[in-house]
C-alpha cells in the first residue's frame, strides 16, 4: 500500500494543528458557528442528532493492520466502542466530543491517516473496488492512479469550493465492483489492443434526490492525461454549476441541462488549454507511486490444497461460507475473504466493535500480509489468504462474530445510519434493516435465493444507495410518521440501473412482509438460476405489484392488505 513521505506527513500534521487552533477560536467565540461550519466540514466533522460525528478517510478502502488498531483505539477511547464503515469506504465515529477532535486527528496522523475532505463541497475520498490488485479478473491495478488522484485533489485550492461535493471512482476489472456509474466522474482503466494503458471517462452520475447514471464522455484516453482531463471537467463544473440551489448543484444536473454533447465540447475546449501542461503525468511519476503497490511476498503454492479440500468436504458450514465469502485471487493458492459485518440483529450493518477491529488486524498479520480492505458494501476484506489457512481463519472469525456466510445475499444489507444518528435523516434505517434480517434468518432459504442486494436510505440523500439496490428502501416522513418507499430492479456494476417504485409507501412494521412478497414472487417466476434482478427485468413490475398491493397498478385495494397506506414523497 502507499507509504507516506515527509511531505504527506508534514501536510497532515500541520492540518491537525491548524484545526486545533480553529476549534479553540470557535470555543472562545472568535469564530461564529457560521464561520466554523466550513472549517469543520473540510476536516470531516459533522454535528449530528446527538453529538459530533467524525468521518475518517480510508483512501480507496485500504488499511494496514496498525491503522485498523488505531481506529479500534479511537472507538474505545473517544467513542462508544465501535465505528461505522460507510458506502464510500470511510469510517464514521458517531459520539465524538468537539474538544477531543484534535487529539483524535493527531492519533490518526501518527499512522498516516486523516479526515481531510471527507465532507464539504470538494473532491471526496477516491474509491475503487475492495479487491484491487488481487482480483482474478483485473486488467490492471487501479490503486496507483487512485493514489495519484488522491494526492492531486487533496487541498487543491482550485477545487475546495465546488458547487457541491464531488465523488470519483476508478475500476480496472472486467466486473465493475466500484459502482462507477453512480459517481460524478467514473474511470474505467484498461489496456488497448497494443497493451497501452487507456481510460474510459464517465461523467454525470449520482444518486440522491435526482438519481442518474453517468454517461461516457471520453474513451481511449491515454493515462498520462488522467489529471488534466478530470481537471478540465472540474473547471467546467466549477464555472457553470449552480450554486443557488444545493439540490440542483451536482454535476449531473449540469450535464443533463447542457446535454452530453455540449458538455463534452466545453470540457474538450478547456482541456486543450491544459492537456500538455504540468498536469500531464509522466512515467517516472507513475512508477514512483506504483512502486508502493508492489505485490507482497507470495509463496509459490499449488492451485489446489488438500487440507482445504478436506475441510470443504467435511464441514458443510465452512463450505457454505466459502461459497459466498471467498473470492478468486490472481495468485495460485491464495484467495480473498469477505468478513460480513451483517450478522443480523446483533449489530447494525457496517458497525464493527473495537475488539473486532483488533481481532481483524491480528488475523491480517497472522494469515495475510497485514492489509485490510473496506468494501462499499460496508464489509471488510482480507485480500491475501492462503487456501491452506482458510479453515483456521474461518474458525477464528467465528469467535468474533465475523463469519456470517451471507456476502451478496438478501441480509447483506447496505444501510445508512439513518435517524438514530444522522441529523438529515427523516426515518430510522437500522431497525428496518434488523427487522428484515430477523424475518429472513433461514440461511438455507437465503442461499437458495442467491444474489439479491437490498439497500436502505433514511432520506433522499441516498447514502444507503437505495436507487441501485435490487430492492431499495427509501425512508419518507409525513405528518410525523415514518414510511418506506420500495423500489426494485436497481443494480450496480456493468449493467447498472436505477430501481423503479412499485407503489405506495408502507409502514416500518410492514416492510419485512412486503420484502417477503417480492421474494416469493421471484421464486415463483424465476427461470433456472435466474437472479432476482433479471427476473424483474424480464417480467417488469406488474407481478410484483400485484403480489404486494393486490393489483398490478400498484394501488392497494380495500379488501387487500389494509396495512399498506399511500404517502406522497
Amino acid at each position: 500500500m502507499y507509504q507516506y513521505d515527509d511531505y504527506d506527513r508534514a501536510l497532515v500534521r500541520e492540518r491537525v494543528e491548524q484545526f486545533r487552533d480553529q476549534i479553540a477560536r470557535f470555543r472562545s467565540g472568535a469564530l461564529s458557528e457560521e464561520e466554523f461550519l466550513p472549517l469543520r466540514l473540510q476536516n470531516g466533522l459533522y454535528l449530528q442528532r446527538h453529538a459530533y460525528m467524525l468521518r475518517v478517510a480510508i483512501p480507496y478502502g485500504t488499511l494496514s493492520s496498525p491503522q485498523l488498531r488505531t481506529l479500534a483505539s479511537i472507538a474505545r477511547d473517544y467513542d462508544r466502542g465501535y465505528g461505522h464503515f460507510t458506502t464510500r469506504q470511510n469510517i464514521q465515529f458517531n459520539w465524538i466530543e468537539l474538544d477531543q477532535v484534535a487529539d483524535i486527528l493527531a492519533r490518526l496522523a501518527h499512522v498516516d491517516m486523516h479526515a481531510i475532505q471527507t465532507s464539504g463541497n470538494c473532491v471526496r475520498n477516491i474509491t475503487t473496488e475492495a479487491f484491487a490488485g488481487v482480483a482474478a479478473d483485473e486488467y490492471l491495478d487501479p490503486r496507483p492512479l487512485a493514489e495519484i488522484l488522491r494526492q492531486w485533489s487533496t487541498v487543491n485550492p482550485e477545487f475546495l469550493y465546488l458547487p457541491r461535493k464531488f465523488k470519483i471512482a476508478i475500476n480496472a476489472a472486467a466486473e465493475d465492483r466500484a459502482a462507477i456509474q453512480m459517481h460524478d466522474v467514473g474511470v474505467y482503466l484498461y489496456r488497448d489492443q497494443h497493451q497501452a494503458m487507456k481510460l474510459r471517462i464517465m461523467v454525470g452520475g449520482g444518486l440522491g434526490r435526482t438519481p442518474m447514471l453517468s454517461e461516457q464522455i471520453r474513451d481511449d484516453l491515454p493515462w498520462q492525461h488522467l489529471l488534466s482531463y478530470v481537471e478540465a471537467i472540474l473547471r467546467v463544473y466549477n464555472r457553470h454549476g449552480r450554486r443557488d440551489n444545493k439540490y440542483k448543484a451536482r454535476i449531473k444536473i449540469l450535464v443533463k441541462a447542457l446535454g452530453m454533447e455540449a458538455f463534452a465540447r466545453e470540457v474538450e475546449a478547456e482541456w486543450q488549454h491544459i492537456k500538455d501542461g504540468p498536469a500531464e503525468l509522466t512515467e517516472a511519476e507513475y512508477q514512483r507511486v506504483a512502486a508502493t503497490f508492489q505485490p507482497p511476498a507470495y509463496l509459490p503454492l499449488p492451485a489446489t490444497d488438500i487440507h482445504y479440500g478436506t475441510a470443504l468436504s467435511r464441514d458443510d458450514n465452512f463450505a457454505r461460507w466459502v461459497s459466498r465469502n471467498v473470492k478468486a485471487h490472481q495468485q495460485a493458492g491464495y484467495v480473498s475473504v469477505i468478513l460480513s459485518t451483517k450478522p443480523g440483529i446483533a449489530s447494525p450493518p457496517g458497525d464493527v466493535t473495537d475488539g473486532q477491529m483488533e481481532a481483524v488486524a491480528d488475523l491480517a498479520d497472522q494469515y495475510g500480509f497485514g492489509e485490510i480492505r473496506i468494501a462499499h458494501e460496508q464489509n471488510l476484506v482480507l485480500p491475501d489468504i492462503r487456501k491452506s489457512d482458510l479453515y483456521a481463519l474461518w474458525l477464528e472469525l467465528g469467535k468474533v462474530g465475523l463469519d456470517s456466510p451471507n456476502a451478496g445475499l438478501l441480509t447483506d444489507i447496505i444501510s445508512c445510519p439513518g435517524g438514530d444518528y444522522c441529523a438529515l435523516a427523516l426515518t430510522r434505517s437500522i431497525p428496518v434493516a434488523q427487522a428484515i434480517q430477523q424475518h429472513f434468518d433461514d440461511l438455507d432459504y437465503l442461499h437458495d435465493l442467491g444474489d439479491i442486494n437490498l439497500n436502505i436510505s433514511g432520506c433522499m440523500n441516498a447514502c444507503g444507495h437505495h436507487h441501485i439496490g435490487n430492492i431499495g428502501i427509501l425512508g419518507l416522513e409525513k405528518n410525523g410518521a415514518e414510511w418506506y418507499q420500495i423500489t426494485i430492479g436497481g443494480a450496480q456494476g456493468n449493467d447498472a440501473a436505477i430501481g423503479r417504485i412499485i407503489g405506495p409507501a408502507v409502514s416500518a412494521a410492514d416492510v419485512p412482509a412486503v420484502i417477503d412478497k417480492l421474494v416469493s414472487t421471484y421464486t415463483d417466476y424465476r427461470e433456472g438460476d435466474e437472479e432476482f434482478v433479471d427476473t424483474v427485468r424480464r417480467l417488469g413490475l406488474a407481478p410484483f405489484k400485484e403480489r404486494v398491493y393486490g393489483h398490478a397498478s400498484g394501488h392497494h385495494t380495500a379488501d387487500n392488505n389494509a396495512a399498506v397506506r399511500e404517502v406522497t414523497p
Side-chain angles (χ1 to χ4, degrees):
M1 59 186 294
Y2 179 72
Q3 304 295 315
Y4 272 31
D5 61 20
D6 291 342
Y7 294 103
D8 297 312
R9 293 195 175 95
L11 186 150
V12 171
R13 284 199 302 267
E14 290 178 13
R15 186 63 174 246
V16 172
E17 295 313 309
Q18 180 190 52
F19 193 48
R20 188 188 298 278
D21 177 66
Q22 291 165 349
I23 293 171
R25 286 192 285 149
F26 172 65
R27 282 299 202 194
S28 72
L31 289 176
S32 67
E33 178 63 51
E34 185 180 6
E35 292 169 324
F36 185 56
L37 175 64
L39 302 176
R40 66 172 168 79
L41 287 180
Q42 291 209 352
N43 285 282
L45 189 64
Y46 289 77
L47 182 55
Q48 295 287 56
R49 194 176 295 267
H50 308 293
Y52 282 99
M53 179 272 281
L54 181 66
R55 181 180 294 152
V56 177
I58 303 175
Y60 34 91
T62 298
L63 284 171
S64 67
S65 53
Q67 289 175 326
L68 187 56
R69 290 191 186 93
T70 297
L71 295 177
S73 75
I74 291 170
R76 182 171 53 250
D77 297 342
Y78 297 104
D79 202 279
R80 296 189 176 181
Y82 64 92
H84 175 77
F85 289 101
T86 76
T87 51
R88 286 208 64 72
Q89 300 178 297
N90 293 316
I91 187 170
Q92 295 179 176
F93 296 105
N94 289 307
W95 300 94
I96 297 298
E97 297 289 340
L98 178 60
D99 294 328
Q100 295 178 327
V101 172
D103 291 339
I104 297 171
L105 294 178
R107 188 178 291 192
L108 290 169
H110 188 67
V111 291
D112 301 339
M113 297 187 76
H114 58 78
I116 298 170
Q117 291 181 209
T118 55
S119 179
N121 295 330
C122 53
V123 177
R124 301 286 188 88
N125 187 32
I126 308 297
T127 58
T128 185
E129 67 154 310
F131 306 100
V134 298
D137 66 341
E138 188 174 80
Y139 305 129
L140 289 151
D141 188 344
R143 293 172 299 170
L145 289 183
E147 173 59 26
I148 288 171
L149 277 166
R150 186 196 70 81
Q151 294 185 20
W152 166 81
S153 61
T154 300
V155 204
N156 185 327
E158 188 171 352
F159 306 123
L160 283 179
Y161 296 97
L162 295 168
R164 198 71 177 90
K165 59 188 174 184
F166 202 89
K167 300 175 180 178
I168 302 174
I170 182 167
N171 184 75
E175 181 182 353
D176 175 1
R177 289 179 287 264
I180 290 294
Q181 296 179 52
M182 49 151 277
H183 284 78
D184 297 287
V185 164
V187 179
Y188 289 114
L189 172 64
Y190 61 95
R191 289 197 185 279
D192 68 9
Q193 66 272 29
H194 306 296
Q195 295 303 300
M197 199 158 63
K198 293 292 182 65
L199 310 171
R200 181 177 304 120
I201 309 292
M202 312 289 288
V203 68
L207 301 179
R209 192 173 295 267
T210 313
M212 298 182 194
L213 298 179
S214 61
E215 297 179 55
Q216 179 180 311
I217 184 172
R218 180 77 188 227
D219 197 7
D220 202 34
L221 182 71
W223 65 270
Q224 293 89 342
H225 295 300
L226 172 65
L227 298 187
S228 63
Y229 199 82
V230 174
E231 184 166 321
I233 292 173
L234 275 163
R235 285 187 173 185
V236 171
Y237 172 51
N238 219 2
R239 187 182 308 139
H240 299 295
R242 290 184 61 172
R243 296 175 188 270
D244 61 322
N245 183 340
K246 70 177 183 179
Y247 299 117
K248 297 183 182 299
R250 295 287 293 270
I251 194 172
K252 61 188 177 185
I253 303 298
L254 177 64
V255 173
K256 184 179 182 182
L258 292 178
M260 178 53 76
E261 189 175 337
F263 182 82
R265 278 200 305 271
E266 290 279 336
V267 171
E268 192 70 19
E270 184 66 36
W271 186 52
Q272 292 305 315
H273 296 300
I274 60 176
K275 69 190 215 43
D276 298 319
E280 182 177 349
L281 289 168
T282 64
E283 180 68 24
E285 172 63 3
Y286 177 81
Q287 292 301 334
R288 180 189 73 82
V289 176
T292 65
F293 292 99
Q294 293 303 305
Y298 294 120
L299 296 173
L301 298 173
T304 58
D305 181 88
I306 188 169
H307 300 293
Y308 168 64
T310 301
L312 278 178
S313 63
R314 290 182 175 175
D315 193 324
D316 291 341
N317 291 329
F318 173 63
R320 183 155 59 183
W321 176 76
V322 168
S323 71
R324 298 304 314 184
N325 293 47
V326 173
K327 301 300 177 184
H329 199 284
Q330 295 174 4
Q331 192 72 21
Y334 286 82
V335 293
S336 298
V337 175
I338 299 172
L339 314 185
S340 171
T341 69
K342 328 288 177 57
I345 60 173
S347 178
D351 279 12
V352 179
T353 68
D354 58 329
Q356 287 176 318
M357 287 189 240
E358 288 180 335
V360 172
D362 291 345
L363 294 172
D365 286 339
Q366 182 177 353
Y367 293 108
F369 296 94
E371 189 169 305
I372 304 98
R373 309 288 181 81
I374 312 302
H376 78 84
E377 293 91 351
Q378 301 175 289
N379 290 320
L380 309 185
V381 170
L382 294 177
D384 305 296
I385 301 298
R386 289 187 293 268
K387 284 183 179 178
S388 57
D389 290 334
L390 260 182
Y391 191 70
L393 172 68
W394 175 67
L395 293 174
E396 293 294 327
L397 291 172
K399 297 176 183 176
V400 291
L402 290 171
D403 62 339
S404 298
N406 64 344
L409 300 179
L410 184 64
T411 54
D412 186 11
I413 295 172
I414 294 176
S415 174
C416 70
D420 286 299
Y421 302 99
C422 180
L424 299 176
L426 299 174
T427 62
R428 300 174 71 197
S429 301
I430 293 171
V432 174
Q434 293 180 319
I436 295 169
Q437 289 170 323
Q438 188 170 27
H439 186 90
F440 292 95
D441 63 351
D442 183 339
L443 273 173
D444 290 333
Y445 183 56
L446 288 171
H447 279 253
D448 177 63
L449 293 175
D451 291 318
I452 304 178
N453 54 67
L454 188 155
N455 300 8
I456 306 174
S457 299
C459 72
M460 290 299 291
N461 289 301
C463 294
H465 298 174
H466 66 277
H467 296 295
I468 58 171
N470 299 158
I471 299 174
I473 301 176
L474 167 64
L476 306 167
E477 183 273 339
K478 185 177 182 182
N479 298 328
E482 297 184 353
W483 299 88
Y484 295 87
Q485 186 181 73
I486 313 294
T487 56
I488 61 174
Q492 60 175 326
N494 300 34
D495 298 316
I498 301 294
R500 290 183 289 167
I501 299 169
I502 62 168
V506 302
S507 70
D510 295 326
V511 169
V514 170
I515 304 304
D516 198 310
K517 291 178 180 178
L518 294 173
V519 169
S520 64
T521 307
Y522 159 60
T523 56
D524 287 348
Y525 285 98
R526 69 179 169 185
E527 296 180 349
D529 294 330
E530 188 176 53
E531 293 184 8
F532 176 88
V533 70
D534 292 323
T535 303
V536 175
R537 286 169 174 161
R538 178 169 56 84
L539 297 178
L541 302 188
F544 297 91
K545 286 182 173 183
E546 186 166 2
R547 186 70 60 89
V548 173
Y549 300 103
H551 192 283
S553 68
H555 297 293
H556 66 276
T557 56
D559 60 348
N560 181 75
N561 202 355
V564 178
R565 308 169 186 87
E566 186 157 7
V567 169
T568 302

